[in-house]
Amino acid sequence: IAIALMHASGDNFRLVFWIAVVPAVAAALVLLFGVKERVTPARRTGWRMQVADLKLFPAAFWWAVGIAGLLSLARFTPAFLVMKGHAIGIDAAFLPAILTVMHLSYAMTSYPFGVLADRVPRRRQLIFGAGVLVASDIVLATAESALAISLGAAAWGLQLAITQGLLAAAVADSAPARLRGTAFGILDVTNSLSVFAASSAAGLFWTFASPDWTFGFSATVGALAIVTLLSHRSTFGRS
């Protein structure tokens, strides 16, 4: 839809973003008025995390969070994929297609790799996912055509499909049942801080060096994740 609107409006970014507000508001209205949630009594009051709670998380949980944070450090915002497309001269109206390819790849491969994660060691699948991330960075760093950008974007979506659900399952399996909400809070904070740091670094490399350095940074961190996984045989709740 964004591609069609960009083409029809003469690359009017502002119009496209205003139209994008409509489904966002619709989603908020559905949550406000269409979703009913059963209220259950809180098991304890207060929002502060207790040190005693942190001690209840096993090593497998912290290992999963650490690997998730390391992989997130290699995943800057997908906006840099769009910027790469713009840098090699792809028309602005078709730049959203890069994200479309990425998300289509993510959507089509998430379920198969979710099934695979129930059958093979998680560590092995994470190593493969990190390898795909490194390959994606190499393709994007050297891309000079729309086809190469599309292949890199598809690989970027593929590595997300390989790793994201697996890490979430590892956190759920390794965290104490009554602290799973807290566990996912810790995971999300870790990932958010890592992506923020990665995007900041990527922006600095893009501005003061070149796009090659941006993707090279991601590939380097991805390679570090592979080395870490190969050198430590810790499991993620279930090997």
Side-chain angles (χ1 to χ4, degrees):
I1 293 173
I3 294 170
L5 289 171
M6 287 286 287
H7 185 71
S9 65
D11 297 343
N12 189 334
F13 284 93
R14 181 168 296 182
L15 173 64
V16 173
F17 280 115
W18 272 118
I19 294 175
V21 170
V22 175
V25 171
L29 292 175
V30 168
L31 288 171
L32 284 172
F33 303 109
V35 177
K36 303 301 179 183
E37 195 169 10
R38 185 178 63 191
V39 178
T40 56
R43 295 189 178 182
R44 58 194 177 104
T45 59
W47 59 272
R48 293 182 182 275
M49 185 181 297
Q50 305 296 321
V51 175
D53 288 341
L54 294 178
K55 293 180 179 179
L56 296 176
F57 290 105
F61 166 79
W62 296 111
W63 177 249
V65 170
I67 291 298
L70 188 58
L71 287 174
S72 293
L73 190 60
R75 294 172 181 152
F76 40 70
T77 168
F80 285 98
L81 278 65
V82 176
M83 290 172 62
K84 175 66 178 184
H86 185 267
I88 66 170
I90 295 178
D91 186 88
F94 295 100
L95 288 176
I98 297 172
L99 296 182
T100 301
V101 170
M102 185 197 79
H103 287 293
L104 184 62
S105 172
Y106 190 2
M108 291 178 64
T109 56
S110 290
Y111 178 76
F113 277 102
V115 173
L116 185 65
D118 293 330
R119 292 167 168 76
V120 302
R122 289 171 174 170
R123 176 171 162 271
R124 186 182 305 170
Q125 187 166 328
L126 283 172
I127 292 172
F128 177 61
V132 173
L133 172 61
V134 173
S136 172
D137 286 319
I138 294 172
V139 171
L140 290 167
T142 59
E144 296 292 341
S145 66
L147 176 60
I149 290 286
S150 298
L151 291 174
W156 192 276
L158 175 61
Q159 58 88 17
L160 289 172
I162 295 170
T163 61
Q164 290 298 86
L166 187 154
L167 288 167
V171 166
D173 287 348
S174 59
R178 74 176 185 86
L179 293 174
R180 279 182 183 150
T182 301
F184 279 100
I186 294 172
L187 176 66
D188 288 341
V189 168
T190 302
N191 286 342
S192 297
L193 291 175
S194 294
V195 171
F196 173 78
S199 298
S200 299
L204 291 173
F205 283 125
W206 191 285
T207 302
F208 297 107
S210 72
D212 294 354
W213 280 74
T214 296
F215 293 105
F217 164 75
S218 174
T220 300
V221 179
L224 178 60
I226 293 174
V227 172
T228 302
L229 286 163
L230 287 172
S231 59
H232 293 77
R233 295 188 174 276
S234 300
T235 58
F236 304 88
R238 184 195 62 77
S239 60

